[in-house]
Amino acid sequence: MTVFVMAQREETTVLGNVVGLYVRLEIDTGDSGRPTTYFLSRLKGELRWVIDAKFGPDGYPHYVHRFGERLSGARVVIKPVSAILDGLALARGLAEEIGEEIPLVLGPRRSVTGLA
């Protein structure tokens, strides 16, 4: 797994203003030799990382929603990936509180790019 961007983000959606964390990452399972790309979000107060978009190794769009969109059934990442992202958000100061079954509390506004 390679995390390219983790940042605090704020956008206006059809449901109003949403604030939370945004992540772009790739996961290489070794099957095809190329990774799958994910765009994730975890909004303030949420308990899980939600998959906003997923693109297969060939670029095929399996699932595409905007940042923080929660109009349809939310797909979440598996617990090991979530735990890594939670730890990274804490270590980088993007979250003051985050974890399994712990609602997201954002830290001071900042972004971190070029993560591995």
Side-chain angles (χ1 to χ4, degrees), residues 15-16 21 25 30-31 36 38 44-46 66 71 86 107 111 113:
L15 297 177
L21 296 177
L25 61 85
D31 298 346
T36 299
Y38 292 86
K44 190 165 83 171
E46 285 188 331
R66 290 185 54 175
L71 293 175
D86 292 348
S111 67
T113 59

Side-chain angles (χ1 to χ4, degrees), residues 9-71:
R9 191 166 177 175
E10 182 173 354
E11 283 193 20
T12 302
T13 69
V14 294
L15 297 177
N17 199 41
V18 293
V19 179
L21 296 177
Y22 161 80
V23 169
R24 181 174 61 90
L25 61 85
E26 291 181 349
I27 298 177
D28 186 351
T29 59
D31 298 346
S32 69
R34 294 185 354 211
T36 299
T37 301
Y38 292 86
F39 296 85
L40 310 175
S41 61
R42 184 163 174 174
L43 303 181
K44 190 165 83 171
E46 285 188 331
L47 301 173
R48 304 262 191 282
W49 287 95
V50 175
I51 301 169
D52 292 330
K54 175 184 174 184
F55 295 89
D58 60 355
Y60 181 80
H62 292 273
Y63 188 70
V64 181
H65 289 255
R66 290 185 54 175
F67 168 79
E69 184 180 303
R70 303 292 190 261
L71 293 175

Side-chain angles (χ1 to χ4, degrees), residues 78-110:
I78 60 174
K79 287 183 179 184
V81 171
S82 184
I84 291 168
L85 295 174
D86 292 348
L88 186 58
L90 285 170
R92 301 297 187 206
L94 296 170
E96 290 181 4
E97 294 182 31
I98 191 172
E100 186 176 350
E101 302 300 324
I102 298 173
L104 171 63
V105 175
L106 293 171
R109 187 164 180 92
R110 51 191 297 202

